[in-house]
């Protein structure tokens, strides 16, 4: 009885050292011990002890899915480990936050057992799933997820008419953009739905956050890709800070995930007047001059050429802080006949940059994924 008369805070501290399987029995013994055990600090410690074998899964992961890729975040949250898909904003909101969709949870039951559950499909409820971290032939970590329930598996031939596909399409597409994006989004939805029972991810290594004298700091961004919608990309530099590279984390059947989308030559900076940006022809002519002919200003005007597709992107800045020659990768369906076409890499500020695709007569804008989107 003297033990039970100890202050609740001290009882909770003592119970932290009780093995997980025994802790559940202690909780049943009396109300005082149950109340002392049911505090976050006790179960947080128990979970960390039991779940430590899944510690290799903590972090950001890139999905190994042909063409489309994907982004997964795994982290500790309130005594368990949660896996969450990070999805690009809907088509008209490139400046919006990444959307989050719960994928799986790893938790400890009151009996001290580890429970791994898929929560990806809210319509059918939680399901047991298999989750493991292994090493591939190159000894790199690979995270694999499987839902073995045969009723959960949807074959590609059945996915086209599946009610879930219609639901996904409605979530992804606003009615006013249906004609533009329907075909691309339909193909992607069929692929995602027919592979929902089996995921495989590779670790995503984020670029260094700070580079001195860089026109824009490295990081994750969301960018517009015409009929393919919004994709997630990573921006980084070479060691000499002579080239900027934008690489896809999510992709499409033309230029898939993991492929370079844009390469900017930082040694070929440009200074253009508004008049020199009136048309693609004007831009091509002005691109032949080097910045050495003019002083580099802190700001210079930015104008979308009148015959350039995607002029309807909202809130395009009227000035930029840096501009240089660039090349953007293009390809036919299935990543065939790939090549790099001429363009301009344009920095507006630390939160956004753009790409003027000269040969495609198109414009893409990219917004930074800030820390809040990953940490909330």
């Amino acid at each position: 009885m003297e033990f039970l008369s100890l202050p609740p805070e001290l009882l909770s501290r003592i119970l932290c050292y009780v093995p997980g399987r025994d802790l559940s029995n202690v909780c049943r013994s009396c109300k005082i011990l149950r109340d002392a055990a049911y505090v976050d600090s006790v179960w947080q410690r128990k979970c960390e002890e039991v779940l430590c074998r899944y510690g290799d899964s903590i972090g950001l992961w890139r999905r190994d899915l042909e063409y489309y890729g994907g982004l997964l975040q795994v982290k500790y949250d309130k005594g368990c480990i949660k896996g969450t898909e990070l999805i690009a904003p809907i088509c008209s909101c490139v400046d919006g936050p990444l959307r989050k969709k719960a994928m799986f949870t790893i938790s400890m039951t009151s009996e001290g057992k580890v429970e791994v559950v898929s929560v990806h499909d809210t319509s059918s409820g939680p399901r047991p799933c298999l989750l493991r971290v292994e090493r591939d032939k190159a000894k790199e970590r690979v995270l694999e997820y499987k839902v073995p329930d045969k009723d959960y598996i949807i074959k590609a031939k059945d996915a086209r008419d599946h009610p879930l596909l219609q639901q996904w399409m409605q979530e992804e597409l606003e009615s006013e953009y249906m004609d533009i994006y329907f075909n691309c989004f339909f193909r992607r939805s069929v692929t995602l739905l027919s592979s929902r029972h089996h995921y495989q991810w590779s670790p995503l290594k984020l670029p260094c956050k700070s580079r001195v004298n860089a026109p824009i700091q490295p990081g994750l961004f969301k960018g517009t890709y015409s009929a393919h919608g919004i994709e997630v990309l990573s921006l980084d530099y070479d060691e000499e800070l002579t080239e900027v590279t934008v690489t896809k984390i999510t992709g499409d059947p033309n230029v898939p995930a993991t492929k370079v989308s844009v390469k900017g030559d930082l040694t070929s900076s440009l200074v253009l007047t508004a008049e020199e940006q009136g048309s693609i022809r004007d831009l091509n002519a002005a691109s032949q001059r080097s910045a050495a002919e003019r002083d580099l200003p802190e700001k210079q005007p930015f104008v979308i050429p009148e015959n350039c597709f995607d002029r309807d992107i909202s809130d395009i800045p009227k000035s930029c802080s840096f501009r240089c020659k660039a090349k953007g990768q293009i390809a036919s369906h299935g990543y065939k006949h790939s090549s790099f076409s001429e363009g301009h890499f344009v920095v507006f500020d630390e939160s956004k940059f753009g790409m003027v695709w000269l040969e495609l007569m198109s414009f893409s804008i990219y917004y930074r994924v800030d820390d809040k989107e990953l940490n909330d």
Side-chain angles (χ1 to χ4, degrees):
M1 294 300 293
E2 291 181 4
F3 174 73
L4 296 179
S5 65
L6 291 173
E9 297 81 6
L10 185 54
L11 285 174
S12 296
R13 185 70 179 270
I14 294 171
L15 292 177
C16 284
Y17 297 94
V18 177
R21 292 180 181 275
D22 296 331
L23 187 60
S24 60
N25 294 326
V26 171
C27 293
R28 297 190 190 101
S29 64
C30 72
K31 184 179 185 301
I32 293 175
L33 291 179
R34 184 188 66 192
D35 292 343
Y38 280 9
V39 295
D40 287 345
S41 60
V42 175
W43 289 100
Q44 178 72 29
R45 178 164 179 158
K46 293 296 105 184
C47 285
E48 289 177 358
E49 290 174 359
V50 176
L51 302 179
C52 64
R53 61 176 141 154
Y54 291 98
D56 272 356
S57 66
I58 302 299
L60 288 174
W61 298 80
R62 170 185 52 79
R63 187 178 183 188
D64 302 325
L65 177 66
E66 186 180 27
Y67 301 143
Y68 300 108
L71 184 59
L72 175 79
Q73 182 180 47
V74 183
K75 63 180 182 179
Y76 284 110
D77 185 19
K78 297 179 180 178
C80 66
I81 295 176
K82 293 183 179 180
T84 305
E85 275 193 299
L86 303 179
I87 305 169
I90 58 174
C91 303
S92 60
C93 302
V94 65
D95 58 340
L98 294 175
R99 293 174 291 162
K100 298 186 177 184
K101 186 173 184 179
M103 188 84 195
F104 58 80
T105 62
I106 308 171
S107 58
M108 191 176 70
T109 67
S110 58
E111 289 77 27
K113 297 180 180 179
V114 175
E115 185 176 56
V116 185
V117 176
S118 169
V119 291
H120 196 225
D121 182 4
T122 56
S123 64
S124 60
R127 292 171 182 266
C129 68
L130 306 176
L131 192 73
R132 59 186 178 184
V133 180
E134 295 186 334
R135 300 276 174 173
D136 61 15
K137 293 181 180 179
K139 296 185 178 181
E140 293 289 338
R141 286 182 302 152
V142 175
L143 177 61
E144 187 176 26
Y145 155 101
K146 283 185 178 180
V147 178
D149 188 344
K150 292 183 178 180
D151 293 335
Y152 189 76
I153 299 173
I154 301 174
K155 296 181 180 179
K157 63 182 181 63
D158 300 322
R160 295 177 177 273
D161 299 316
H162 199 280
L164 270 179
L165 186 134
Q166 307 303 324
Q167 178 184 325
W168 285 9
M169 293 290 288
Q170 291 176 0
E171 292 174 356
E172 293 289 329
L173 295 179
E174 298 166 301
S175 57
E176 59 185 303
Y177 299 102
M178 188 68 73
D179 292 342
I180 300 174
Y181 299 110
F182 182 84
N183 289 334
C184 290
F185 276 67
F186 182 80
R187 285 195 295 266
R188 186 178 72 182
S189 295
V190 168
T191 299
L192 294 177
L193 191 58
S194 59
S195 64
R196 68 173 186 162
H197 63 286
H198 186 200
Y199 282 61
Q200 187 168 295
W201 299 275
S202 297
L204 176 64
K205 299 176 182 178
L206 293 180
C208 173
K209 286 189 174 182
S210 179
R211 293 295 301 270
V212 178
N213 297 324
I216 184 171
Q217 290 301 314
L220 296 181
F221 289 81
K222 303 154 287 188
T224 56
Y225 281 86
S226 60
H228 296 297
I230 298 172
E231 299 181 3
V232 181
L233 310 96
S234 174
L235 180 146
D236 204 358
Y237 299 92
D238 62 354
E239 290 186 8
E240 294 76 21
L241 209 65
T242 59
E243 184 177 73
V244 58
T245 303
V246 182
T247 305
K248 290 191 173 187
I249 295 172
T250 64
D252 55 71
N254 292 88
V255 179
T258 75
K259 304 301 181 182
V260 171
S261 178
V262 174
K263 297 189 295 186
D265 181 2
L266 302 182
T267 66
S268 63
S269 54
L270 298 165
V271 179
L272 305 177
T273 65
E275 290 73 21
E276 290 172 322
Q277 303 174 59
S279 68
I280 293 293
R281 177 179 295 180
D282 294 335
L283 274 180
N284 277 316
S287 298
Q288 304 308 312
R289 290 191 293 273
S290 69
E293 300 174 26
R294 302 175 182 174
D295 294 331
L296 281 175
E298 291 187 6
K299 290 285 185 181
Q300 58 175 299
F302 178 78
V303 178
I304 297 290
E306 61 180 12
N307 52 346
C308 190
F309 182 67
D310 279 354
R311 287 173 56 90
D312 58 343
I313 296 175
S314 61
D315 299 324
I316 296 174
K318 300 296 191 294
S319 64
C320 61
S321 59
F322 179 81
R323 185 172 194 147
C324 70
K325 294 180 182 179
K327 292 183 182 294
Q329 187 165 197
I330 58 176
S332 58
H333 189 89
Y335 194 50
K336 296 178 180 178
H337 314 297
S338 64
S339 63
F340 282 88
S341 65
E342 299 297 327
H344 288 180
F345 174 78
V346 184
V347 175
F348 300 113
D349 54 41
E350 270 302 321
S351 67
K352 51 187 173 293
F353 69 92
M355 173 68 174
V356 181
W357 305 75
L358 297 177
E359 294 179 26
L360 295 182
M361 296 189 295
S362 180
F363 172 71
S364 294
I365 193 166
Y366 305 78
Y367 279 78
R368 184 180 296 278
V369 175
D370 60 37
D371 290 339
K372 288 183 179 179
E373 294 180 59
L374 298 177
N375 297 329
D376 284 352

